[in-house]
Amino acid sequence: PNKLGGVIALVMSIAILFLMPLLHTNETQGLQFYPLNQILFWYMVIMILLLTWIGARPVEAPYIITGQILTILYFSYYIINPLIIKLWDNMLNS
C-alpha cells in the first residue's frame, strides 16, 4: 500500500542481483556441491513465482499480507544462502 516502500523494494530487488557476483567468495563454483543450497534454489524459484502471482492480484486484505510475507522470504534468501555456503565450506574443511 505504500508507494515509496514499493519503489525501494523494487530497486533493492534489482540491485541485490547486481551485488551477488561481487559477494560470491565461496571455494567451489558449482551449486552441485551444496545440497542445502539446491533446496534453497527451488525455494527461491517458488518465491519468484508466488510474488509474480501475488503482484497480479488486487490490493485487498488477504493479498497485502501475503505479498509482505513473500517479500520478506524473498530477501531472506539472500541472507541465508551465503551463510549456508560458509557453513558447508567450514564443515567440509574440518
Side-chain angles (χ1 to χ4, degrees):
N2 184 356
K3 290 193 182 279
L4 179 61
V7 170
I8 290 172
L10 177 66
V11 169
M12 286 179 57
S13 67
I14 301 295
I16 202 164
L17 295 175
F18 286 110
L19 290 175
M20 286 303 288
L22 301 174
L23 300 174
H24 183 73
T25 59
N26 53 337
E27 295 172 7
T28 56
Q29 297 296 317
L31 194 61
Q32 67 269 21
F33 300 112
Y34 300 103
L36 291 176
N37 291 74
Q38 291 175 357
I39 295 168
L40 278 178
F41 170 77
W42 290 109
Y43 160 83
M44 183 64 172
V45 169
I46 291 169
M47 284 302 112
I48 290 172
L49 291 175
L50 287 174
L51 279 168
T52 303
W53 173 77
I54 206 73
R57 302 290 115 210
V59 182
E60 295 176 353
Y63 301 123
I64 294 172
I65 190 70
T66 305
Q68 291 171 347
I69 291 170
L70 290 173
T71 302
I72 290 170
L73 293 174
Y74 172 82
F75 284 111
S76 70
Y77 169 81
Y78 294 106
I79 296 170
I80 294 171
N81 191 33
L83 294 175
I84 291 181
I85 287 174
K86 291 204 181 298
L87 174 73
W88 195 258
D89 283 342
N90 288 340
M91 285 179 16
L92 290 177
N93 291 334
S94 298

